[in-house]
Amino acid sequence: MNKIYIIPTPIGNLEDITFRAIITLKNVDCILAEDTRKSKKLLNHYNISTKIISYHQYNEHQKLMKIIENIKSGINYAIISDAGTPSISDPGFLLVRECIKNDILVETLPGPTALIPALVNSGLASDRFVFEGFLPHKKGRLKRLLKLKAEERTIVLYESPHRLLKTLSSLIEIFGSGRKVSVSRELTKIYEETKRGTVKEVLDYFSRAKIKGEFVIVIEGGK
Ligand code: SAM
């Protein structure tokens, strides 16, 4: 049966990969990777010598149908992204959708992703939550936050270092300064840190700090 494997890879600590992920990456004919140079570091670390080709947001439309044809003709692929789970704020969704349309089995391995450790570490309600990925950069940013104002579930956002303060300020503007948040940075890495408090406290803290690394913002749901 034709199949595509979706394989999560570490979000910082190279040891965060499952045995099955390694075995699968060794056994497929070809690995689709967002940045082949970055992925080679991981693959070399685990002695994986499978052929690797680039598949990223700028070439996925162009490569998609050829990959589908190849899978149908019996070539086994796995897709990985630079970090975490493909298709979660990363390429992968188009391929999964097209595989399903073409009766190709999709097997997604469980594994690393930044949103789950950030949510659990936040201490905010984790029984129900919404993942919003990255907010729009410019147009639609405040509109998106306004829509989320009435959201009762915990909200998880991804953010880049240069927009962190801007986003925390927007949260104060729209949700009020007393809303609880938790900001996790550099999860699984040496400088991993989680700062919890009201959005005002967390903004003050990061305004004094050097803002470096990768961030997940977790916001308490509205009452
Ligand atoms: N596919 C990834 C996943 O499953 O989490 C997400 C990729 S997205 C392009 C990158 C964003 O994920 C970063 O800007 C940050 O918000 C979040 N992220 C990834 N690794 C992280 C880490 N080690 N610590 C904190 N946030 C991280």
Side-chain angles (χ1 to χ4, degrees):
M1 184 72 184
N2 300 321
K3 203 188 243 190
I4 176 95
Y5 293 94
I6 318 297
I7 315 268
T9 56
I11 57 166
N13 187 326
L14 278 189
E15 292 178 5
D16 291 333
I17 186 161
T18 66
F19 291 119
R20 188 151 77 96
I22 296 169
I23 293 166
T24 308
L25 289 171
K26 283 189 175 170
N27 287 343
V28 291
D29 300 309
C30 183
I31 298 170
L32 304 170
E34 211 181 345
D35 179 332
T36 54
R37 271 206 319 197
K38 274 192 193 162
S39 293
K40 270 184 189 158
K41 282 187 197 151
L42 175 78
L43 301 179
N44 288 341
H45 185 81
Y46 288 104
N47 295 318
I48 299 165
S49 52
T50 308
K51 180 180 167 196
I52 176 168
I53 62 172
S54 88
Y55 181 87
H56 47 66
Q57 60 169 325
Y58 303 106
N59 68 15
E60 60 181 341
H61 287 272
Q62 172 220 329
K63 291 199 170 177
L64 188 61
M65 291 323 292
K66 181 72 189 153
I67 294 167
I68 296 290
E69 269 173 40
N70 288 347
I71 299 174
K72 283 181 166 174
S73 70
I75 298 176
N76 290 312
Y77 285 91
I79 178 171
I80 59 178
S81 63
D82 287 353
T85 302
S87 182
I88 301 297
S89 298
D90 264 342
F93 162 71
L94 278 184
L95 185 60
V96 169
R97 189 177 62 180
E98 206 56 39
C99 284
I100 294 167
K101 259 193 214 160
N102 284 275
D103 287 328
I104 294 166
L105 275 181
V106 177
E107 189 163 334
T108 303
L109 272 61
T113 187
L115 71 116
I116 297 297
L119 170 69
V120 175
N121 225 22
S122 72
L124 298 170
S126 55
D127 51 343
R128 295 162 72 225
F129 67 95
V130 284
F131 173 59
E132 282 284 324
F134 291 98
L135 290 174
H137 289 179
K138 290 193 182 105
K139 228 174 121 231
R141 194 181 162 80
L142 288 181
K143 208 167 146 195
R144 176 80 59 88
L145 285 176
L146 275 170
K147 269 195 177 165
L148 289 170
K149 193 177 174 182
E151 177 57 63
E152 292 179 355
R153 295 166 292 182
T154 301
I155 303 159
V156 184
L157 301 178
Y158 281 170
E159 199 45 283
S160 70
H162 39 278
R163 268 185 283 270
L164 178 73
L165 296 183
K166 185 178 166 202
T167 298
L168 291 173
S169 302
S170 304
L171 291 183
I172 291 182
E173 199 182 312
I174 301 201
F175 295 80
S177 58
R179 182 75 72 100
K180 281 190 192 149
V181 296
S182 169
V183 173
S184 287
R185 65 180 278 268
E186 297 290 83
L187 289 159
T188 79
K189 304 185 196 176
I190 300 170
Y191 297 107
E192 171 167 351
E193 174 187 25
T194 293
K195 184 70 192 163
R196 307 172 186 87
T198 65
V199 60
K200 167 90 173 57
E201 287 163 348
V202 173
L203 173 63
D204 287 348
Y205 174 80
F206 282 107
S207 302
R208 281 181 262 115
K210 202 165 184 203
I211 302 178
K212 264 178 128 177
E214 300 193 275
F215 292 83
V216 183
I217 304 176
V218 185
I219 307 160
E220 180 185 36
K223 300 263 153 49

